């Protein structure tokens, strides 16, 4: 029996932000999940494309929060 080689150790790379990509959100009716294309930006300058997967409760929560943020933006612009 052979043992696999030890994984190389390296310092963790921290995420600086996650931004949405300008792509359509997809919905999988069978899984009842939405997938939002995102780019994960790391502090070392690298990036990775990924998906933010939302179940129905997360979709409803995010919708409420985005509506609130949109209202705040409108109020700020009209002030």
């Amino acid at each position: 029996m052979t043992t696999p080689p030890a994984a190389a150790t390296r310092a963790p790379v921290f995420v600086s932000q996650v931004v949405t990509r300008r792509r359509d959100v997809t919905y999988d009716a069978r899984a009842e999940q939405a997938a939002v294309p995102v780019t994960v930006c790391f502090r070392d300058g690298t990036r990775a494309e990924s998906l933010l997967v939302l179940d129905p409760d997360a979709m409803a929560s995010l919708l409420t929060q985005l509506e609130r943020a949109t209202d705040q933006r409108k109020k700020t612009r009209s002030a």
Side-chain angles (χ1 to χ4, degrees):
M1 174 189 275
T2 61
T3 57
T9 58
R10 65 175 210 199
V13 179
F14 296 98
V15 173
S16 61
Q17 64 182 352
V18 178
V19 295
T20 58
R21 295 194 337 241
R22 306 281 184 208
R23 302 284 184 263
D24 287 340
V25 173
T26 59
Y27 183 75
D28 181 343
R30 187 179 55 78
E32 295 185 344
Q33 294 177 332
V36 182
V38 297
T39 299
V40 181
C41 304
F42 299 94
R43 288 187 185 169
D44 69 356
T46 60
R47 297 171 183 244
E49 293 183 356
S50 190
L51 293 173
L52 172 62
V53 178
L54 304 167
D55 64 18
D57 290 338
M59 284 188 285
S61 176
L62 184 57
L63 176 61
T64 300
Q65 293 173 34
L66 290 173
E67 287 173 339
R68 215 176 283 145
T70 301
D71 289 343
Q72 289 174 348
R73 180 175 181 247
K74 287 178 185 176
K75 288 178 187 176
T76 304
R77 286 186 160 197
S78 64

